[in-house]
Amino acid sequence: MFGSKSQGGINMQFRHRGQKPKIENENEAVSITSLNEGERGIVSHAVGGFGLLRRLAEMGLTPGTEVKVLRKGLFSGPVEIEVRGVALALGHGVASKVFVKPLKDASHG
Amino acid sequence: MHGESSPVIIASERYSLASKIAKDVTVIEVPPRISMEQKLDAVTTHKIFGYLVLAGVLASMFALIFAGGSLISASLESLLLNFSLWVEQLLSLFLPQVVVNIFSKGVLGGIIAGITIALPYIVPFYILLALLEDSGYLPRAAFLMDNLMHKMGLHGKAFIPLMLGYGCNVPACIGCRIMETERERFIAAFVVTLIPCAARTVVILGLVGRYVGLQAALALYAFDLILVFTMGRIAFKALPGEPVGLIMEMPLYKKPSIKNIALKTWSRTRDFVYIAFPIIVAGSTLLVALEMSGFMDYIVWGSSPLIAGWLGLPVEAGIPLIFGVLRKELTLILLSELVPIQSLTAVQMIVFSIVTMIYIPCVATIAALNREFGWKKALAVTLIDVSLALLIGGLAYRILSLAMPT
Amino acid sequence: MAKQLRIALAGNANVGKSVIFNQLTGLNQIVGNWPGKTVERAEGTLHFKGYKIRIIDLPGIYSLSTFSMEEIVSRDYIAVEKPDIIVNVIDASALERNLYFTIQLLELEAPIIVDLNQIDLAAKKGIRIDAEKLSKALGVPVIPTVAITGSGIAELLSTVIAVAQGEKKLEPLKVSYGREIEERVRAIEKIVNAKLPQICKVYPARWVAIKLLERDADVAGKLKQL
């Protein structure tokens, strides 16, 4: 759903199976690389040169867009995200420059 | 302006419009279950299985190409050999022997070499490449290899031309077009020329693999990879510009269409023939002319300080090295004709293989480099490759001689 | 003497555009390079309903900005050579992302019809696109196809002919932006119209204005030359 809002306040989420607990604060934007597989976020901004920002925008990564992390590569590898119905692979460097506001997921997996 | 630059806003607004239209016209009919394609996706990009699958795909690809290729090559060879002998006899009837030689060994020989040696490997190669492309597998390979490619200042997509290079450097150089910027294309192409193509593999396996041992041959391949990464890094630092990160669509897996694969293969093979064949024929003719004019002896004599003094090889080994540039697949044959293989020491075999592995890409590759990047860059790559090969060859000779006294 | 048409295939990569091209041209294709550039150029011909149709397969690109040579080559071809019809091949299973490119084609004021391809893949994802509705929204014909089976290709060609003969009219959507952008675009457009009439013969003035706002290096460079 586009434009769904994350819940206000600080939520401590303890996940099973060794995933790290995440503090989800409405105002805190984190880089995509810190999301786990299956987690969603709303694009807040990206840092980088003009060329990079434009390429990202052209592929649909504009502020306010919802993204979902599909897969993360081995050892700081690339991140595969779903954006606007398309699967996109971002190199680790690129992904670390895209910041999202994490969304609390009601469902798992 | 409003916290975001205008290009981003414009892109945003276009996407808002696209999004609105798309929503209006889209009907979700069935809640999607996990499809075959998604399961395949999960396996092929899996942190562990993904790499196993990749290794399997590459191994089977090259096995098929080498097996299929040598089969076709052998059958074509016997067929065309008879034909060329027949032509030679016919022409000898009314043309001077010199001309006949130049034509049948040079021109005809070149064409036949192209047909019997290059094409039987190139065509299956292109078929498998088209299959991998159309099925959607290549972006998965790029995903798995992105990290590694970054060590060279490139990104995941560069893995594809590198992999192609093990088959033939010509399509690999052309394949560098998938990189987005000129700089990256060039770095990738430069590094590709250091990858031993099938013709060079024949030398490495046929010489070192067979007479020194398989482990030694594998060590050479490993060494080559280290060299590739090192030179990639150096090129990356040396050329001005910023590294470009991977931003790549991962399309759904699709059933490839045979017709499409056939058409792609056909047009690529035609492209290859246009680039490579004239060069092979020209090179072949030049070779025969040099041989017959006696010029070759001068060249051998001139190069002997380098060949014998620096590289520690028998003087005659200069011929296959120098003229292998024109007809790479003849390198081993020429060598065995001039120097009894058994008389070479293990060190000499290794040095010879190293030089063959690294030095000038074959003339067809130089032609491809020229088309893609211009003659200056093609020349630069050629010179760097030759210098590198000589340098490493000479060092290898000295170091290995100490480590492995015969 | 057959009537002649020149059409171009334009669209994202991975939408099956080259499959469409192959279906249309078969072996009647020549693959080379754009003059002076290392961008592949595929051209072919086919005969249909008394027409000799020349088809160019433009490179698969995501946008008409100037990040790459492929993009410049495509938009220059569309604007300068002005093919009779541009078939915008889009992927039904990734509609939103593909429409981004369609919108840019509309901004370039190119005569487009839309080929809604890969509807089989969309169906696998549980997605069905209402082609009629899409056609109304965009103002141009939308033909669903499944390129690998050839389904819809004949209808696609018939539509191309119909549009070329004027039987079907194109009423392309006019893309407009939010107020702040529109103000700036119109201001620049006025200046371009007044001071640079030569470029308006090739590219629409409004498009030039938008590109300048997008800090498009190629357009800026072309303007400098005038």
Side-chain angles (χ1 to χ4, degrees):
Chain A
M1 290 293 125
F2 293 95
S4 62
K5 297 198 170 67
S6 55
Q7 307 200 352
I10 301 176
N11 297 301
M12 295 286 280
Q13 291 232 318
F14 289 93
R15 312 224 174 183
H16 302 290
R17 297 211 204 127
Q19 285 187 342
K20 29 190 216 299
K22 193 75 60 57
I23 299 173
E24 279 161 27
N25 181 313
E26 196 176 11
N27 296 320
E28 185 182 275
V30 298
S31 94
I32 285 187
T33 46
S34 53
L35 292 181
N36 288 323
E37 291 184 9
E39 291 182 352
R40 299 168 195 267
I42 303 273
V43 176
S44 123
H45 64 283
V47 294
F50 169 66
L52 177 67
L53 293 182
R54 188 160 65 178
R55 279 180 76 206
L56 291 171
E58 280 170 5
M59 295 306 270
L61 286 168
T62 55
T65 309
E66 177 177 319
V67 302
K68 176 177 170 187
V69 173
L70 296 174
R71 202 157 281 125
K72 291 173 85 172
L74 198 56
F75 305 135
S76 301
V79 179
E80 189 185 351
I81 61 173
E82 185 180 300
V83 53
R84 300 187 192 268
V86 174
L88 197 64
L90 302 177
H92 188 86
V94 174
S96 64
K97 295 183 178 137
V98 179
F99 288 85
V100 299
K101 290 178 195 152
L103 287 175
K104 218 163 76 108
D105 241 356
S107 56
H108 293 283
Chain B
M1 227 213 283
H2 4 219
E4 289 293 342
S5 59
S6 51
V8 175
I9 301 182
I10 290 178
S12 266
E13 294 193 17
R14 283 196 189 119
Y15 263 115
S16 297
L17 179 60
S19 176
K20 180 176 158 306
I21 298 177
K23 270 221 200 67
D24 277 347
V25 307
T26 302
V27 179
I28 309 274
E29 293 203 310
V30 174
R33 309 156 305 154
I34 308 221
S35 62
M36 260 302 265
E37 286 84 5
Q38 282 176 294
K39 289 197 193 119
L40 192 60
D41 208 3
V43 172
T44 50
T45 49
H46 190 263
K47 292 181 175 54
I48 300 174
F49 292 123
Y51 290 98
L52 292 176
V53 168
L54 180 61
V57 166
L58 292 178
S60 31
M61 183 173 155
F62 285 110
L64 274 169
I65 294 174
F66 277 111
S70 48
L71 209 73
I72 305 172
S73 181
S75 14
L76 279 178
E77 218 172 310
S78 47
L79 213 74
L80 289 173
L81 193 64
N82 291 332
F83 173 69
S84 81
L85 282 176
W86 178 84
V87 170
E88 208 175 321
Q89 281 172 340
L90 183 65
L91 291 179
S92 311
L93 293 177
F94 51 89
L95 286 176
Q97 193 60 29
V98 179
V99 178
V100 173
N101 272 352
I102 289 198
F103 181 75
S104 84
K105 287 212 182 82
V107 177
L108 200 57
I111 297 177
I112 293 180
I115 299 176
T116 60
I117 296 170
L119 288 185
Y121 294 93
I122 289 284
V123 172
F125 182 72
Y126 277 138
I127 293 176
L128 289 176
L129 177 63
L131 184 63
L132 287 180
E133 281 174 334
D134 285 3
S135 63
Y137 182 67
L138 290 185
R140 274 85 190 165
F143 182 86
L144 292 171
M145 290 286 128
D146 185 53
N147 248 1
L148 205 59
M149 293 298 112
H150 264 283
K151 307 248 183 298
M152 272 194 279
L154 295 168
H155 60 64
K157 285 191 199 171
F159 174 68
I160 296 161
L162 282 191
M163 179 189 82
L164 297 183
Y166 280 99
C168 175
N169 282 358
V170 175
C173 279
I174 301 175
C176 291
R177 285 186 191 179
I178 53 177
M179 306 302 289
E180 292 90 354
T181 66
E182 266 300 306
R183 174 179 179 262
E184 291 194 301
R185 285 182 189 177
F186 184 59
I187 296 177
F190 166 55
V191 157
V192 154
T193 60
L194 297 171
I195 301 253
C197 62
R200 296 187 246 187
T201 291
V202 162
V203 174
I204 299 173
L205 291 180
L207 202 55
V208 173
R210 190 165 162 205
Y211 294 101
V212 182
L214 196 57
Q215 279 166 322
L218 290 176
L220 282 182
Y221 280 104
F223 171 69
D224 180 68
L225 279 177
I226 298 172
L227 184 67
V228 159
F229 276 98
T230 315
M231 293 314 293
R233 271 196 100 76
I234 294 178
F236 166 65
K237 300 241 160 81
L239 293 172
E242 285 301 313
V244 176
L246 182 72
I247 300 179
M248 171 185 74
E249 186 185 346
M250 302 273 270
L252 296 169
Y253 273 117
K254 289 192 270 225
K255 209 172 63 158
S257 97
I258 298 187
K259 185 173 168 189
N260 210 40
I261 292 179
L263 277 167
K264 263 196 195 178
T265 303
W266 162 246
S267 87
R268 281 176 176 160
T269 304
R270 208 173 40 186
D271 197 34
F272 176 83
V273 169
Y274 282 168
I275 295 183
F277 269 51
I279 296 274
I280 294 177
V281 168
S284 188
T285 313
L286 181 63
L287 195 60
V288 172
L290 287 175
E291 215 173 2
M292 294 191 332
S293 62
F295 221 68
M296 206 186 273
D297 299 325
Y298 284 120
I299 300 180
V300 172
W301 175 82
S303 66
S304 55
L306 211 56
I307 305 286
W310 173 244
L311 293 175
L313 296 169
V315 176
E316 296 85 359
I319 295 182
L321 275 183
I322 296 173
F323 298 99
V325 172
L326 299 171
R327 292 279 295 271
K328 261 242 196 295
E329 81 287 1
L330 289 182
T331 309
L332 201 55
I333 299 174
L334 279 174
L335 181 67
S336 58
E337 277 174 10
L338 298 162
V339 178
I341 302 276
Q342 322 292 352
S343 70
L344 291 170
T345 66
V347 173
Q348 284 177 322
M349 288 186 188
I350 294 176
V351 169
F352 186 85
S353 297
I354 286 181
V355 175
T356 304
M357 194 169 67
I358 303 172
Y359 83 148
I360 292 196
C362 66
V363 276
T365 310
I366 301 181
L369 284 174
N370 177 47
R371 189 180 81 166
E372 299 290 303
F373 303 103
W375 68 269
K376 287 193 198 132
K377 290 196 169 129
L379 189 63
V381 170
T382 306
L383 290 175
I384 294 178
D385 283 351
V386 174
S387 321
L388 207 58
L390 290 175
L391 180 67
I392 297 180
L395 289 175
Y397 167 55
R398 280 155 186 76
I399 297 174
L400 289 175
S401 296
L402 293 173
M404 300 167 52
T406 339
Chain C
M1 179 68 186
K3 294 166 278 189
Q4 303 218 7
L5 269 188
R6 253 180 338 124
I7 72 175
L9 299 182
N12 291 176
N14 299 312
V15 299
K17 192 163 56 64
S18 62
V19 181
I20 301 247
F21 179 72
N22 286 334
Q23 288 282 21
L24 293 174
T25 60
L27 286 173
N28 292 330
Q29 56 175 267
I30 302 178
V31 179
N33 279 328
W34 290 85
K37 309 207 161 64
T38 53
V39 177
E40 191 179 82
R41 178 186 165 118
E43 250 188 284
T45 47
L46 99 129
H47 294 265
F48 187 78
K49 287 195 180 161
Y51 277 89
K52 177 176 167 191
I53 307 180
R54 264 179 58 201
I55 309 182
I56 279 220
D57 187 16
L58 296 175
I61 51 180
Y62 295 105
S63 159
L64 291 176
S65 67
T66 54
F67 183 65
S68 70
M69 213 70 237
E70 281 82 6
E71 285 153 350
I72 299 183
V73 150
S74 295
R75 69 190 209 180
D76 278 354
Y77 180 78
I78 294 174
V80 175
E81 302 289 334
K82 296 205 192 322
D84 300 301
I85 306 238
I86 295 169
V87 175
N88 176 211
V89 184
I90 67 179
D91 180 358
S93 67
L95 189 63
E96 189 180 332
R97 216 280 311 286
N98 277 255
L99 284 180
Y100 181 78
F101 184 68
T102 309
I103 290 172
Q104 295 200 48
L105 284 176
L106 291 172
E107 282 184 322
L108 195 47
E109 293 177 27
I112 72 170
I113 72 174
V114 169
D115 175 343
L116 182 68
N117 196 30
Q118 298 189 170
I119 52 178
D120 52 334
L121 292 186
K124 276 203 180 124
K125 265 175 140 179
I127 296 174
R128 187 172 66 80
I129 309 288
D130 186 345
E132 270 299 315
K133 245 184 167 182
L134 183 59
S135 177
K136 284 210 177 67
L138 295 175
V140 300
V142 172
I143 317 292
T145 60
V146 179
I148 40 174
T149 63
S151 158
I153 303 273
E155 211 204 319
L156 179 68
L157 279 173
S158 301
T159 311
V160 167
I161 305 283
V163 172
Q165 287 178 333
E167 287 160 19
K168 269 208 165 116
K169 291 246 180 291
L170 298 180
E171 284 150 40
L173 171 71
K174 289 206 183 337
V175 179
S176 65
Y177 293 91
R179 199 179 50 114
E180 294 197 36
I181 298 279
E182 276 296 322
E183 278 172 3
R184 287 175 170 84
V185 166
R186 291 202 190 127
I188 301 179
E189 192 187 348
K190 266 210 198 95
I191 302 177
V192 170
N193 260 324
K195 301 253 170 95
L196 300 160
Q198 312 99 298
I199 205 155
C200 296
K201 289 202 189 101
V202 181
Y203 304 95
R206 183 182 157 85
W207 182 83
V208 173
I210 296 174
K211 284 294 161 224
L212 286 174
L213 260 187
E214 282 188 288
R215 288 154 69 177
D216 190 296
D218 182 65
V219 169
K222 283 189 167 79
L223 290 185
K224 275 209 186 96
Q225 285 175 352
L226 292 174

